[in-house]
Amino acid sequence: GAGVSQSPRYKVAKRGQDVALRCDPISGHVSLFWYQQALGQGPEFLTYFQNEAQLDKSGLPSDRFFAERPEGSVSTLKIQRTQQEDSAVYLCASRRLTSGRAYGRGDQFFGPGTRLTVL
Amino acid sequence: AQRVTQPEKLLSVFKGAPVELKCNYSYSGSPELFWYVQYSRQRLQLLLRHISRESIKGFTADLNKGETSFHLKKPFAQEEDSAMYYCALNYGGSQGNLIFGKGTKLSVKP
């Protein structure tokens, strides 16, 4: 089946502009994660959704970052008044919700990422 | 606090040589560890998970709780193994948040 898709793949923004990054998870995957990957670093957790509920936004670096998943499928990460330090690859991952002993566990499948460059 | 450390930024070996990519973690709970790989121009993908005790593409990794390590090993490296490798720790319990190391770039020379 189709994997996680993200759009746009590349985005160049001028400092101060607002941007919106889209993630289409694997169909039926309940859990959705956003990560930020700066150059030369590993991905860092931003926020987590279970269906439409944003259960954890502890990784969002500032109140300029906002994420939503209104219908429990597609998710959008919005960054307001972009700054140069926001330049990074933004990764989305989805996971099938498991039950029983393995509840909450399971593999995360990653999208190709959106490379954001803020000039 | 939880942490994942990959001490080598770059590892270069010749084809057929053994390879070991190091990963150390810091976590107070019961760790769940993964290795992810990213080939050139491809997305991040799961290579293996410690809980499955599996071997994928000839790679294995053993969780050593005493040394808090999860090193990735392969006895005979192939050129197609050249990629970025990330070690990751699930610290989020049922939620499943992952902490990643900074990654090791493996280069296998002919």
Side-chain angles (χ1 to χ4, degrees):
Chain A
V4 178
S5 61
Q6 293 185 244
S7 61
R9 293 292 311 279
Y10 303 90
K11 177 69 179 178
V12 178
K14 291 184 179 178
R15 189 162 56 94
Q17 281 186 329
D18 298 348
V19 299
L21 313 179
R22 176 188 169 108
C23 172
D24 282 85
I26 293 173
S27 178
H29 277 199
V30 171
S31 301
L32 187 146
F33 302 80
W34 282 99
Y35 293 86
Q36 180 190 58
Q37 185 173 18
L39 188 64
Q41 304 293 317
E44 292 189 3
F45 169 78
L46 292 178
T47 187
Y48 165 72
F49 289 86
Q50 184 170 307
N51 293 306
E52 69 279 3
Q54 188 176 19
L55 299 185
D56 187 341
K57 50 182 181 180
S58 61
L60 296 177
S62 77
D63 59 7
R64 296 186 296 103
F65 286 70
F66 172 77
E68 60 183 5
R69 194 186 184 197
E71 298 179 358
S73 179
V74 171
S75 177
T76 303
L77 176 67
K78 298 179 180 178
I79 309 173
Q80 297 176 323
R81 304 181 304 281
T82 53
Q83 304 294 315
Q84 284 188 322
E85 61 262 28
D86 300 335
S87 295
V89 175
Y90 290 85
L91 297 170
C92 175
S94 71
R95 185 189 67 188
R96 178 178 56 87
L97 185 66
T98 56
S99 60
R101 279 189 66 197
Y103 179 82
R105 302 298 175 98
D107 302 338
Q108 293 186 30
F109 292 86
F110 282 81
T114 294
R115 182 178 296 278
L116 173 65
T117 302
V118 182
L119 303 177
Chain B
Q2 52 274 354
R3 187 169 61 246
V4 174
T5 304
Q6 293 180 251
E8 302 137 332
K9 199 170 180 178
L10 173 66
L11 185 62
S12 185
V13 301
F14 285 101
K15 177 183 172 182
V19 62
E20 181 180 54
L21 290 87
K22 291 183 168 50
C23 172
N24 288 89
Y25 67 92
S26 173
Y27 184 58
S28 58
S30 181
E32 184 180 6
L33 287 148
F34 304 85
W35 276 99
Y36 279 81
V37 61
Q38 187 167 28
Y39 300 102
S40 180
R41 299 183 187 280
Q42 294 188 26
R43 65 185 65 192
L44 200 59
Q45 58 186 283
L46 180 68
L47 180 61
L48 55 80
R49 57 184 85 75
H50 94 268
I51 202 168
S52 301
R53 302 183 65 83
E54 58 203 341
S55 173
I56 302 292
K57 298 184 179 183
F59 284 98
T60 59
D62 290 319
L63 176 62
N64 185 323
K65 291 187 178 180
E67 296 183 358
T68 60
S69 68
F70 188 56
H71 303 327
L72 183 68
K73 300 178 184 179
K74 184 169 183 177
F76 307 103
Q78 303 299 314
E79 289 180 68
E80 56 265 30
D81 296 329
S82 296
M84 279 294 297
Y85 291 81
Y86 295 94
C87 182
L89 166 72
N90 175 8
Y91 73 97
S94 62
Q95 186 170 293
N97 300 6
L98 295 177
I99 285 187
F100 287 84
K102 292 186 177 183
T104 297
K105 183 174 182 179
L106 175 64
S107 174
V108 181
K109 299 179 179 179

